[in-house]
Amino acid sequence: MTDNKDDKTISVAGKKTLTLKPSGVQQGTVRQDMGRGRTKAVVVETRKRRPSRPEDERPAIQPVTPAPRVAEQAPVRQQPSPPPRQEPQRPRVGVVLNQLSPEEVEARRRALADAQVREAEDARRRAEEEARRKVEEEARRKAEEEARVLREKEEAERKAEAEARGETVEVAPPAAAEAAPVAAPRPAGVRPATPAAATPAPAGVRGRREQEEEDARPRGAGVPARGKVTRPEPAKVPARPKGDEGRRQGKLTLTTASTDEDGAQRGRSLASIRRRQEKFKRSMMQETREKISREVVLPETITIQELSQRMSERAVDVIKYLMKEGQMMKPGDLIDADLAELIAGEFGHTVKRVSESDVEEGIFNVADDAAVMQPRPPIVTIMGHVDHGKTSLLDAIRHANVVAGEAGGITQHIGAYQVEQDGNKITFIDTPGHAAFTAMRARGAQATDIAILVVAADDSVMPQTIESINHAKAAGVPIIVAINKIDKPTANAQKVRTELLQHEVFVESMGGEVLDVEVSAKNGTNLDKLLEAILLQSEILDLKANPDRTAEGVVVEAELDRGRGAVATVLVQKGTLTPGQIIVAGDQWGRVRALVNDKGEHVKSAGPSTPVEVLGLSGTPAAGDKFAVVENESRAREISEYRQRLAREKQVARQTGSRGSLEQMMTQLQSSGMKEFPLVIKGDVQGSIEAIAGALDKLGTDEVRARIVHSGAGGITESDISLAEASNAAIIGFNVRANAQARSLSEREGIEIRYYNIIYDLVDDVKAAMSGLLSPERRETFLGNAEILEVFNITKVGKVAGCRVTEGKVERGSGVRLVRDNVVIHEGKLKTLKRFKDEVSEVQSGQECGMAFENYEDIRAGDTIECFRVEHVTRTL
């Protein structure tokens, strides 16, 4: 701090400089620091008010007196200021502060009152602390007394037991026992007594304790420095006995809790001794918990964690058992049902094995009560070779013209119809006869009761006729032979019967049991006899079903209709199907919105053997899938998700098995040179797509095959165009068309869309396109041989062989092979062919010529030159 007589400048380290004018001046200048070394002078006017009360005069603060420390400053009571003196004040060294305002005086009075209240509160708290400490001391003494009595009792019992056994026991003297530390239990809510040396004394007690320590300290020791208050070092006090209060002083740590002050091990508490005695008694009694055996439900695969939870065992125990068996596994690892059953048996539990397919239990093949069975119409499938008149025969029976609606006059869908004869209903299923529709015929045979084999009288037995016979026999259904087209002049029904004998179809007229009827679909001849034969066969079969149970049947066909959504043609085999019911068909489910019969009429119910179209499914199921009614949507969704997951796994397994690893695939492509013809196929119904895929699969060879990137029922959309563009595939539409957006997108992207309505044309076009992918065949034609007589070395030309043609002829530009000792040395092209000095196109046998090879000159006299021509021939499938 510096003092200047002129302007009383006072500077404090780290503070700003304050400049004041001499006293008596009403105006002054204060210099302000603006930062970065800049200052600014500010004019300040002050007006002093003469004090009217003694309290308003502020006492001057002496700058030379150091401020006392906060921790050691005693509360100072404010003394009233002396009356102001009238003589003028002399200027003194220091800072003269402005006088106190009334608000500051009031604040100081409140602070003094608060200090007095705090002193009273501290006195009250000290009294409570003293009372509580006395209670704790009394409780501790009682606990020590109880422990001593209990210890003496145990010593007496041990001594009595030892005397009974004839042993001598040395008993420790009571003084040593009392000196040992005893950990007596404290009453609840009572804290241990804290020694005075460890607890800071309150403000009122501190003075007395410091005075006692000052008296005990020798003279001259611990003299504090000037301006500081230092507490003297306490004299070294001898160690307290073990039972004293100081045993628990200091911070409580694990080490201090387990040892005494002198480092000796602390004695066990009474509660610890009791626990050890109870544990020993339990071990002596061999007390074991009862094992609870549970029934554990095991799926096909389960994690170890889930298995342990179902067994109510620790996962660590299961892992330990597996480690003993030599298997290192984690709780999250999957194990199969066999290993899980073994583990559960080792832990004493019973096992109930379940499968994921159990979700389908109770909806298919439900047993019917024989007492409520009622007769049902027969389901008849019409099968046979293409163009033998199956659909025409059904038209004549139905009095409808279905053939006109089929492209090319051939059936490409499974049609289901119901007719009535003499009050009896008959359900007909018409199957295609083309070779591509093998799966459709097989499906129709499985869902039928009677199979009608249509054979043209003028054509006799054909390949698809034989196939239909095999399907019917495999399905185990009786056959009725309908010999059609008997109105034709070339008809020979007897030839048909004779040829059927070769395939183990014995008609009645040939001594067999198979009914046969000669009919004419064109003229309607003997149609009533055919229906009578069907009804007779159904009576023999005694067909019955329960109409009062939940419906169950088979999906005949499925398609995606633009206005109606997914439409499935189903054949109800058991029960009655009504709108509003929830059905599961294959991997699709939905609520039945409407039922439409074969005449296009909406019906309220469909009983056994009734074909109907079902609207309301979430997607198109596959033809041939079974359908059934379930009780609620959650069950239907569960079954559908299980079947979709199963289909995905099968597809992945099929792709993985056929594709193998990436290296295997690349090796196969390099070795075999397999080429693929990618296709996107969209059809009107699922059955047609299935038939097209089967026909295209048969076209494949070892070099080229058709790969169906995507297939589905419904029209061609923009997503199909995008998929075809990404996979570089062609789009085939069978009885479907592309919408306007798809057409415009295909034109922009240059994607070709081919439309077909006859499967013959589709297969032929794809076959021609796949033939273009075949590499042309290399065909080699032998021309002739020449013998080298002599070799000439010509400048700027190289070596030229002088030859004589011994066989055939030699042509310029043809391929040649150089043969030495019957070994082919070189194969290349003939560069030069000269006869004397002229270039010639060919040299005949017996003539001499000069020949030179391209990029090869290792020729010798006596070598043979073989000349050949190579041709590339385009191949077809």
Side-chain angles (χ1 to χ4, degrees):
M1 180 180 294
T2 59
D3 183 16
N4 195 346
K5 292 183 179 181
D6 296 333
D7 51 6
K8 308 295 186 297
T9 302
I10 292 143
S11 62
V12 184
K15 300 288 186 178
K16 296 177 183 179
T17 303
L18 183 64
T19 305
L20 299 177
K21 289 290 183 180
S23 59
V25 181
Q26 299 296 327
Q27 187 174 5
T29 303
V30 177
R31 187 166 298 279
Q32 286 186 341
D33 186 8
M34 301 297 292
R36 300 190 179 182
R38 295 179 299 164
T39 57
K40 173 182 171 184
V42 180
V43 178
V44 179
E45 290 186 357
T46 58
R47 181 175 300 169
K48 291 186 178 181
R49 179 172 58 87
R50 195 165 190 81
S52 58
R53 294 193 304 272
E55 300 89 13
D56 293 340
E57 184 177 359
R58 181 177 298 175
I61 299 176
Q62 301 298 329
V64 294
T65 305
R69 294 170 61 181
V70 178
E72 301 172 359
Q73 185 177 2
V76 180
R77 297 183 181 275
Q78 187 174 0
Q79 300 295 334
S81 302
R85 305 169 77 178
Q86 299 300 325
E87 67 268 14
Q89 295 181 358
R90 292 176 299 171
R92 66 176 63 175
V93 179
V95 181
V96 181
L97 301 179
N98 293 333
Q99 298 171 351
L100 288 175
S101 63
E103 290 80 3
E104 291 176 343
V105 174
E106 184 65 26
R108 290 196 174 190
R109 286 179 179 172
R110 284 198 301 269
L112 184 59
D114 292 343
Q116 293 175 353
V117 171
R118 280 197 300 272
E119 286 183 0
E121 183 69 23
D122 290 342
R124 183 183 59 81
R125 193 180 297 112
R126 285 193 298 273
E128 292 177 356
E129 186 71 20
E130 288 292 336
R132 185 174 59 79
R133 189 179 293 110
K134 290 180 180 179
V135 172
E136 290 177 357
E137 289 289 337
E138 186 66 24
R140 187 177 63 80
R141 278 195 295 271
K142 287 183 180 180
E144 289 180 354
E145 184 66 22
E146 291 176 0
R148 186 181 61 76
V149 173
L150 182 61
R151 188 167 56 254
E152 291 176 355
K153 185 178 180 182
E154 288 179 354
E155 289 289 337
E157 291 176 356
R158 193 158 49 247
K159 184 177 180 181
E161 291 176 0
E163 289 177 355
R165 290 195 300 267
E167 299 176 358
T168 58
V169 180
E170 295 182 0
V171 182
E178 288 180 1
V182 178
R186 294 189 301 271
V190 179
R191 296 187 301 176
T194 306
T199 307
V205 186
R206 188 179 300 157
R208 179 171 51 85
R209 187 172 298 158
E210 290 178 355
Q211 184 63 35
E212 292 173 359
E213 292 173 356
E214 181 70 23
D215 297 337
R217 190 173 58 236
R219 297 281 184 179
V223 179
R226 182 177 181 83
K228 289 186 180 180
V229 179
T230 57
R231 188 164 293 171
E233 293 261 341
K236 196 151 188 179
V237 184
R240 292 187 177 94
K242 292 181 180 179
D244 200 5
E245 297 176 1
R247 187 167 62 88
R248 293 183 181 271
Q249 70 178 5
K251 183 185 291 186
L252 183 64
T253 61
L254 188 61
T255 305
T256 56
S258 57
T259 57
D260 291 330
E261 285 184 352
D262 55 355
Q265 190 70 21
R266 178 179 297 173
R268 298 177 65 90
S269 65
L270 185 61
S272 176
I273 295 173
R274 288 177 180 172
R275 285 195 302 269
R276 187 173 64 176
Q277 290 176 353
E278 290 178 2
K279 183 178 179 181
F280 178 73
K281 288 179 182 178
R282 283 199 304 268
S283 62
M284 294 299 292
M285 293 173 61
Q286 297 291 333
E287 183 179 342
T288 57
R289 290 189 299 173
E290 183 181 356
K291 184 72 175 179
I292 301 176
S293 178
R294 292 178 171 83
E295 185 183 37
V296 182
V297 179
L298 294 181
E300 295 175 355
T301 57
I302 189 172
T303 62
I304 296 178
Q305 184 71 36
E306 179 69 20
L307 175 63
S308 61
Q309 290 176 0
R310 295 188 181 188
M311 294 190 303
S312 296
E313 304 282 352
R314 295 191 309 163
V316 178
D317 298 336
V318 181
I319 296 294
K320 285 181 181 177
Y321 169 74
L322 290 172
M323 289 174 66
K324 289 179 182 177
E325 297 296 324
Q327 297 189 39
M328 302 295 293
M329 304 187 80
K330 302 186 295 296
D333 289 346
L334 274 174
I335 58 175
D336 57 4
D338 295 334
L339 181 57
E341 183 176 1
L342 183 64
I343 295 172
E346 285 292 329
F347 281 85
H349 302 287
T350 57
V351 171
K352 179 182 178 183
R353 296 279 289 268
V354 296
S355 174
E356 278 189 291
S357 58
D358 293 345
V359 72
E360 297 182 353
E361 285 187 357
I363 63 171
F364 292 110
N365 302 321
V366 180
D368 294 320
D369 188 4
V372 294
M373 303 285 276
Q374 297 179 13
R376 66 172 176 85
I379 301 172
V380 180
T381 301
I382 298 181
M383 307 172 74
H385 192 72
V386 63
D387 285 340
H388 275 205
K390 299 180 296 298
T391 308
S392 301
L393 182 63
L394 184 58
D395 290 347
I397 296 173
R398 295 181 63 225
H399 308 292
N401 189 8
V402 179
V403 176
E406 292 287 354
I410 64 169
T411 301
Q412 302 181 98
H413 309 124
I414 289 184
Y417 315 99
Q418 197 167 45
V419 300
E420 190 168 343
Q421 174 72 15
D422 299 333
N424 298 316
K425 291 184 177 181
I426 303 173
T427 300
F428 285 95
I429 297 177
D430 184 19
T431 63
H434 189 260
F437 297 97
T438 301
M440 285 192 183
R441 282 192 298 278
R443 210 159 43 236
Q446 291 170 0
T448 190
D449 301 318
I450 303 169
I452 295 182
L453 184 64
V454 179
V455 186
D458 61 339
D459 225 4
S460 193
V461 177
M462 299 297 285
Q464 270 68 60
T465 310
I466 301 169
E467 193 179 287
S468 300
I469 294 171
N470 294 333
H471 287 321
K473 287 183 177 179
V477 296
I479 299 174
I480 297 176
V481 179
I483 304 174
N484 196 15
K485 301 184 181 181
I486 60 170
D487 56 312
K488 286 194 172 185
T490 57
N492 187 354
Q494 193 60 32
K495 180 184 176 183
V496 173
R497 296 187 181 96
T498 305
E499 291 187 0
L500 286 174
L501 292 176
Q502 302 175 7
H503 305 287
E504 299 180 358
V505 178
F506 306 105
V507 298
E508 283 185 340
S509 57
M510 303 292 286
E513 297 180 354
V514 177
L515 300 175
D516 66 309
V517 183
E518 297 181 5
V519 297
S520 172
K522 185 177 180 180
N523 300 331
T525 308
N526 292 336
L527 295 182
D528 52 347
K529 289 185 178 180
L530 179 62
L531 295 177
E532 287 175 2
I534 293 171
L535 293 175
L536 177 63
Q537 189 69 51
S538 65
E539 288 180 7
I540 296 172
L541 294 174
D542 191 21
L543 303 172
K544 289 185 177 181
N546 181 11
D548 299 328
R549 50 158 287 174
T550 56
E552 182 182 335
V554 65
V555 178
V556 177
E557 196 56 87
E559 61 179 330
L560 195 62
D561 192 281
R562 182 168 184 177
R564 300 186 296 171
V567 179
T569 303
V570 302
L571 182 63
V572 182
Q573 294 174 320
K574 299 177 183 178
T576 303
L577 184 64
T578 58
Q581 290 181 332
I582 300 170
I583 66 170
V584 175
D587 57 357
Q588 305 293 335
W589 70 280
R591 188 181 294 273
V592 180
R593 288 195 285 115
L595 298 175
V596 183
N597 62 9
D598 57 324
K599 299 180 180 62
E601 303 168 348
H602 286 258
V603 293
K604 296 296 183 184
S605 63
S609 303
T610 305
V612 287
E613 288 183 344
V614 176
L615 280 67
L617 289 174
S618 57
T620 54
D625 287 341
K626 287 188 174 182
F627 82 89
V629 175
V630 295
E631 59 272 12
N632 51 37
E633 291 186 6
S634 60
R635 178 84 185 276
R637 190 178 293 106
E638 188 178 6
I639 297 172
S640 174
E641 289 174 355
Y642 162 69
R643 291 183 172 181
Q644 289 174 2
R645 184 168 63 252
L646 209 62
R648 283 195 301 269
E649 290 173 357
K650 286 183 179 178
Q651 185 177 5
V652 169
R654 194 185 307 115
Q655 291 176 353
T656 305
S658 61
R659 183 173 62 237
S661 66
L662 184 62
E663 295 179 1
Q664 294 173 353
M665 184 174 67
M666 297 302 295
T667 306
Q668 182 182 2
L669 285 175
Q670 290 174 0
S671 60
S672 64
M674 172 70 74
K675 295 181 180 179
E676 290 184 341
F677 186 58
L679 292 171
V680 174
I681 299 176
K682 296 301 288 287
D684 52 348
V685 293
Q686 288 281 357
S688 300
I689 298 166
E690 182 182 345
I692 293 169
L696 295 181
D697 191 40
K698 293 179 181 177
L699 294 178
T701 63
D702 294 339
E703 296 182 38
V704 63
R705 68 182 180 90
R707 180 170 65 93
I708 300 176
V709 178
H710 171 67
S711 63
I716 300 170
T717 60
E718 294 174 88
S719 60
D720 298 326
I721 305 295
S722 303
L723 179 61
E725 180 193 3
S727 57
N728 198 21
I731 298 179
I732 291 178
F734 188 77
N735 283 335
V736 294
R737 290 292 182 270
N739 55 29
Q741 295 85 355
R743 284 197 301 271
S744 60
L745 181 61
S746 66
E747 291 173 1
R748 288 198 307 271
E749 303 296 339
I751 304 297
E752 184 184 8
I753 302 176
R754 304 291 293 270
Y755 299 109
Y756 299 93
N757 56 2
I758 300 176
I759 196 170
Y760 298 131
D761 302 336
L762 186 151
V763 174
D764 291 343
D765 284 2
V766 174
K767 184 177 181 181
M770 290 170 62
S771 299
L773 293 177
L774 291 173
S775 57
E777 183 181 356
R778 185 177 183 271
R779 189 173 297 173
E780 184 179 303
T781 305
F782 173 76
L783 293 177
N785 285 333
E787 182 184 358
I788 300 177
L789 301 178
E790 196 168 345
V791 179
F792 303 97
N793 199 347
I794 301 174
T795 309
K796 295 182 181 180
V797 176
K799 289 186 177 182
V800 177
C803 308
R804 178 189 293 120
V805 181
T806 58
E807 182 182 357
K809 63 178 180 179
V810 177
E811 292 180 355
R812 186 177 59 186
S814 61
V816 289
R817 292 189 185 94
L818 184 65
V819 181
R820 183 179 300 162
D821 297 332
N822 295 324
V823 177
V824 177
I825 303 300
H826 170 69
E827 182 174 344
K829 275 191 175 184
L830 197 61
K831 180 175 69 173
T832 304
L833 179 63
K834 286 190 177 184
R835 174 108 172 116
F836 301 108
K837 293 185 179 181
D838 301 327
E839 282 280 348
V840 292
S841 60
E842 63 179 33
V843 178
Q844 297 295 331
S845 176
Q847 297 178 352
E848 294 182 355
C849 60
M851 288 187 284
F853 297 158
E854 285 185 358
N855 304 322
Y856 190 77
E857 293 186 351
D858 183 17
I859 52 179
R860 302 176 188 174
D863 291 349
T864 302
I865 296 174
E866 180 183 331
C867 187
F868 58 91
R869 184 191 303 125
V870 176
E871 296 175 346
H872 293 280
V873 182
T874 303
R875 292 189 299 154
T876 58
L877 287 173

